[in-house]
Amino acid sequence: MKHQTLDQLHAVAKIETSAAYSEMTRNQRIERWAELLEQHPERCLAAFTGTEYLHLEERASVRGDGSALAVAFDDPVLRACGLKDDTYGEARRFFKLSDWQLHEIVCDCHVGATMKAHWAAARVRATIGGKGFFAWLRQRIMY
């Protein structure tokens, strides 16, 4: 193995240290997730079935290979920031999303069994803008 300085490595590779990401804000985490999804925009992702009908404990443990949540968990930067697994409950906690926000991203009622990654990225990014009137109204009606 040949030892090289960081300057030498920068000439041949993109180097990201996890320390720079450990203090990411909520919006930065969400933006990173959207960017990860956009890297392969035509990729088909698995959707979750009927998340809004599951009991809270069951909903929190839902996960799926090839889902938008799995894309986030595959990222070493998001894991270094504290993303512990690819479950619905962990994504809700880590990205500080409401059930309805996460439902809008991962549930099959909007797209069927699969969705394109660029669609999921747009839904992820929409959570940054905050809650609009219809999201507020839906929260009031449902709870």
Side-chain angles (χ1 to χ4, degrees), residues 71-91:
V71 170
F73 185 63
D74 285 343
D75 182 47
V77 172
L78 292 179
R79 286 196 316 268
C81 289
L83 183 61
K84 298 174 186 169
D85 59 40
D86 62 352
T87 62
Y88 184 100
E90 176 59 10

Side-chain angles (χ1 to χ4, degrees), residues 49 51 53-63 87-89:
T49 303
T51 61
Y53 301 112
L54 300 173
H55 291 289
L56 293 177
E57 303 82 31
E58 188 179 5
R59 186 182 314 149
S61 65
V62 169
R63 64 161 305 278
T87 62
Y88 184 100

